[in-house]
Amino acid sequence: MPLSTPTKRSLIHNRNVHCEGYLREDGLVEVEGHMIDTKPFDFPNKDRGGYIRTGEALHGISARITFDDTMKIVDAEAILDHTPYNYCKMIAPVFKQLVGIRIGQGWRGKIREIMGGVKGCTHLTELLGPMATTAYQAMVTVKFGDQVLESENIGITQAPELLNTCYSHAEGSPVVKEHLPEIYE
């Protein structure tokens, strides 16, 4: 990203988040999320043999949620391959507590109730944000199939529940005026 004001700077941390959505042969949808944090220098760490080396994962976390066509989670699992403390890995089973909740309105609050603060892992909780938006995008493809490839209007016209969920889908936006003029204000 070009800087608006060029400034000399040095990389001190890197976080990569990657999510993928899959349609299973049984009709369920899975989203896998991965988070990797690295540093461009070695630093001391007692739990990892004395040091975490340059480019080695400080955090290497993977998670999978499986959900049905109503976005209700039917299975959830997490693996913490790389953590700064060995004790961190013990929190992975809390992820199973997501089973039964629905991805949608109130999602972040439910996650905070289940995994917030000392009840969970900050990094797993953060990973659930992009996993949820990946789940939504995957479900659009599941619900609308070939229409996704054929129509430039997939979105608010097929999913009016998107109304007022973002800047472009506000009742008074030009997007709503063009695609849902009967709702436009």
Side-chain angles (χ1 to χ4, degrees), residues 45-109:
N45 183 281
K46 183 177 88 173
D47 284 18
R48 300 267 294 272
Y51 282 90
I52 296 177
R53 302 287 176 199
T54 301
E56 183 181 342
L58 167 63
H59 295 105
I61 297 171
S62 298
R64 179 183 303 120
I65 52 175
T66 306
F67 51 95
D68 64 17
D69 61 352
T70 70
M71 305 288 281
K72 181 179 174 185
I73 296 176
V74 298
D75 197 12
E77 61 183 308
I79 298 171
L80 291 86
D81 288 320
H82 303 283
T83 57
Y85 310 105
N86 294 327
Y87 188 66
C88 294
K89 295 177 183 187
M90 296 177 67
I91 200 66
V94 76
F95 214 68
K96 278 281 188 211
Q97 294 178 32
L98 296 174
V99 173
I101 68 169
R102 198 170 312 284
I103 302 166
Q105 192 168 20
W107 168 253
R108 291 182 194 273

Side-chain angles (χ1 to χ4, degrees), residues 107-168:
W107 168 253
R108 291 182 194 273
K110 290 174 191 166
I111 288 172
R112 278 192 300 274
E113 284 176 32
I114 294 168
M115 301 176 49
V118 298
K119 295 183 278 184
C121 167
T122 299
H123 301 88
L124 275 175
T125 303
E126 288 177 7
L127 185 56
L128 283 167
M131 288 178 72
T133 54
T134 302
Y136 176 79
Q137 292 296 327
M139 190 52 67
V140 167
T141 303
V142 169
K143 283 185 176 180
F144 303 112
D146 290 342
Q147 292 178 52
V148 172
L149 300 174
E150 298 167 2
S151 173
E152 65 182 54
N153 296 325
I154 292 296
I156 196 163
T157 55
Q158 273 73 24
E161 66 270 14
L162 291 176
L163 188 64
N164 291 322
T165 60
C166 74
Y167 182 74
S168 292

